[in-house]
Amino acid sequence: MWLASLTLLTAQTAVDIDASFDAYELRLEARSADEACAVFTQVERDLLNAAIRRSRDDAVLQGASPAQLNQFEDRQRDAFETSCRAAFDLPGVARHRDEVFRLTGFDQARFQGRLQGWTAQRGGVSDDYARWSIVQSLGQGDANFGVFQQGDVTGLALSLRTSLRPAYAVAFLRDTSQEPYPVDMTAGGLLAPPDNDPVSAWSAPSDRLVRVFATEALSAQRAGELAPAAGAPAVGFQFPDTLVAQLASLAPREGARIDLYDATGVVIDRYWVEIGALDAAMGFMRLPRMAPQSTAAAQDMTASN
């Protein structure tokens, strides 16, 4: 499910978005209406595309091939026919608008993937300290990775607490020009995932990965503000901002690897980032902010398949 739960500042809510084939068709209907009649804003469109990508990803995990899904989506586009006046009232359009409108009432939301999730938080920016805008907890809570903000400064970073002394960090992700789709590194469950980390089950062979080096080490103060709450000394590395879009363009089911190296070039630690609903979290951050929903209204807000 592309948006499996919302984590509020004042309460926990679970909002299960329908991941059935019927929901997939409705989202395709909404996209066809938007392509013909521009019924959505750009951020609504981006969130719809994120939902469709997750529907496709779920279908692949259930046995469909990308070619079959492409053919299905092409048939859906070709079959679409309605007036632009009627397009605004189509079930798929109304459904997506309702889902997006619900999100506008939250300042903080959790976008859960298969195994890990992204937490996005709007507002509360300080000039005095760094805080996460979008973050994923890695390695059973040993590290944090995501987009931070301090005043007008934003960046993509990894921050952790460790007694080791990493000198630099490198992210490894699928080279989409060489490998158009993520590879099942477990061969359908016959092999253990790399590093025995389930997030690494979908990736690409080592000769079809892109390497992205961290551009700088975080200051001790900023690393401490962004690292998990307690433990060993905090260290961190900042990556180029372009890596955010590179990650968001990958399939939700796949993982990207971050290796930490010592001064001699030896890997001393490793983390896996699940792509998940990063694109949806980014869309959430650009939504207009409405009046926050009350804690009472947030309780038990669920929708089952």
Side-chain angles (χ1 to χ4, degrees), residues 248-301:
S249 69
L250 300 177
R253 66 185 178 276
E254 69 183 295
R257 188 178 93 225
I258 300 178
D259 285 352
L260 299 178
Y261 294 80
D262 67 13
T264 68
V266 173
V267 176
I268 57 176
D269 213 345
R270 173 170 292 170
Y271 294 96
W272 284 91
V273 179
E274 183 179 64
I275 304 306
L278 175 58
D279 50 2
M282 292 167 58
F284 168 77
M285 295 298 293
R286 302 198 310 275
L287 281 175
R289 296 173 65 188
M290 307 296 285
Q293 298 188 27
S294 69
T295 301
Q299 299 294 337
D300 300 324
M301 185 193 301

Side-chain angles (χ1 to χ4, degrees), residues 83-303:
S83 70
C84 284
R85 177 173 295 182
F88 285 81
D89 297 321
L90 287 171
V93 173
R95 179 192 181 99
H96 182 61
R97 277 239 168 88
D98 288 344
E99 290 177 349
V100 172
F101 180 74
R102 182 181 301 182
L103 282 176
T104 63
F106 297 100
D107 287 332
Q108 182 173 326
R110 180 166 176 80
F111 297 84
Q112 186 62 39
R114 292 185 307 117
L115 299 164
Q116 298 175 176
W118 297 95
T119 299
Q121 181 170 312
R122 307 190 291 184
V125 177
S126 171
D127 292 329
D128 300 324
Y129 61 88
R131 55 172 288 277
W132 292 111
S133 297
I134 301 175
V135 64
Q136 184 173 127
S137 177
L138 309 180
Q140 306 298 317
D142 295 334
N144 292 325
F145 175 76
V147 178
F148 73 86
Q149 185 169 3
Q150 182 173 359
D152 295 331
V153 176
T154 63
L156 177 69
L158 170 77
S159 189
L160 64 149
R161 293 185 180 276
T162 179
S163 57
L164 304 174
R165 293 187 177 182
Y168 62 98
V170 182
F172 296 82
L173 55 152
R174 176 170 55 92
D175 184 344
T176 56
S177 67
Q178 296 190 63
E179 193 68 61
Y181 301 109
V183 175
D184 182 358
M185 306 301 287
T186 71
L190 297 176
L191 304 174
D195 303 321
N196 287 314
D197 189 323
V199 177
S200 69
W202 291 90
S203 184
S206 59
D207 62 343
R208 298 184 180 182
L209 294 174
V210 173
R211 294 188 302 170
V212 180
F213 285 78
T215 53
E216 61 181 285
L218 297 179
S219 67
Q221 177 178 339
R222 180 165 286 174
E225 292 164 351
L226 298 175
V235 296
F237 298 91
Q238 185 167 339
F239 290 86
D241 293 343
T242 52
L243 181 56
V244 180
Q246 288 177 270
L247 292 171
S249 69
L250 300 177
R253 66 185 178 276
E254 69 183 295
R257 188 178 93 225
I258 300 178
D259 285 352
L260 299 178
Y261 294 80
D262 67 13
T264 68
V266 173
V267 176
I268 57 176
D269 213 345
R270 173 170 292 170
Y271 294 96
W272 284 91
V273 179
E274 183 179 64
I275 304 306
L278 175 58
D279 50 2
M282 292 167 58
F284 168 77
M285 295 298 293
R286 302 198 310 275
L287 281 175
R289 296 173 65 188
M290 307 296 285
Q293 298 188 27
S294 69
T295 301
Q299 299 294 337
D300 300 324
M301 185 193 301
T302 60

Side-chain angles (χ1 to χ4, degrees), residues 5 10 41-42 49 61 67 147 192 202 224 282:
S5 63
T10 55
T41 64
Q42 185 58 55
N49 288 331
L61 289 171
V147 178
W202 291 90
M282 292 167 58

